[in-house]
Amino acid sequence: MDLEQKIEKIKECLKDKEVIIAFSGGADSTLIAKIAKDVCKEAAAVTVDNGVLPPDCISNATEIAKEIGIPHEVVRYNLMENETFKSNLPSRCFICKNEMYNKLQDIANEKGIYTLIDGTNISDLLEDRPGIMVNYEKNIVSPLVYAGFTDEDVRKTLKKLNVHYSTSTTCFATRISRYSEISPKKINRISYGESFIKNMVRDGPVRVRDDNNIARIEVGNVEKLLNMGILNHINSELKSVGFKRVALDISGYGEPEKELVVYKPCKDEENKIMFETELPYELDIKNTCSELKKLGSTKCSEQMGIAMLEIEGRNVTVFKTGKIVARRVTDKEDAEKVLIDVLPCIRRKLE
């Protein structure tokens, strides 16, 4: 399916609906807001300020909504009042998303609108994002998943439409290593560190990770910081706000985009093509199997931790460990099509 066909699928998903969009101003929600503005009967964007967002996140979202021409509302509440969230367990993202969608549902009810949509895309389903489970529990519609949009598809479409979006939308809690308590002190020093370094690099993403009192810096262009005077200045500033050590990640910000599937030769089946992908979390086989039955004939064993799906002559095996293997596909493109159908059916275990 080419990009134009995918865009048409999004329009098909949204056409004539009345929707509330979970809007951060990031690439995904901006694309959804842009299309919804054009094809929905009624569309409004809502940004939830949870108290742990970068200072420019809300102002950027407001400006981008204005550029798109979509009604926009900001709802505020303080996640730092939630003790379970502050304990920073692996379920932290789930807690945050659940609170956020409760707020959005209240607004939808007030307006008489019952369709909540978000910007989750197919690439997100390959990552360790427990908050996505809230989407399934609360029936949040994800048009980008429905249309098979990846991160790359989103960026290409926004460029084609000449639509501006924000690159600073993730909350500061994501910078703190798991099981390390989230505190105002940590949030404040991360915020200070990122603002300080942004003034130096001027453009591109900046992240200051708090790894148990070690500041790990990620920037889009590492070369801008490769000067001993600059590094010493950063070291002094970040230590002055409580970090014990300061490190620069020379790999830069982010990781290379993960391929949906990779080719794996079949040792015992010379004429069979096999592709696989590995999810970074453990699966709930019982619930995954229940969802896969919507696609085709399914055989499952909770004891063995495996689910097998037959879909249009292809075979897909899903393992409890997170591995997904596609067999009897014609090529990589065919395997990706199958995976795009399968990924929304995956249900993970929450720790």
Side-chain angles (χ1 to χ4, degrees), residues 29 33 47 51 78 86 162 203 255 312 317 337:
S29 63
T47 302
N78 189 2
K86 286 168 61 179
N162 193 30
D203 56 7
E255 299 177 357
E312 297 179 352
T317 306
K337 288 179 181 177

Side-chain angles (χ1 to χ4, degrees), residues 22 27 40-41 52 63 74 79 96 153 162 188 192 196 224 244-245 256 291 308 317 319 348:
C40 285
K41 180 180 179 181
V52 288
E63 183 61 31
V74 177
L79 259 178
C96 178
D153 291 331
N162 193 30
N188 289 338
Y192 176 79
F196 177 73
K224 289 190 176 183
K244 301 302 181 186
R245 295 179 63 85
E291 294 295 322
M308 298 184 69
T317 306
F319 297 88
R348 63 176 290 157

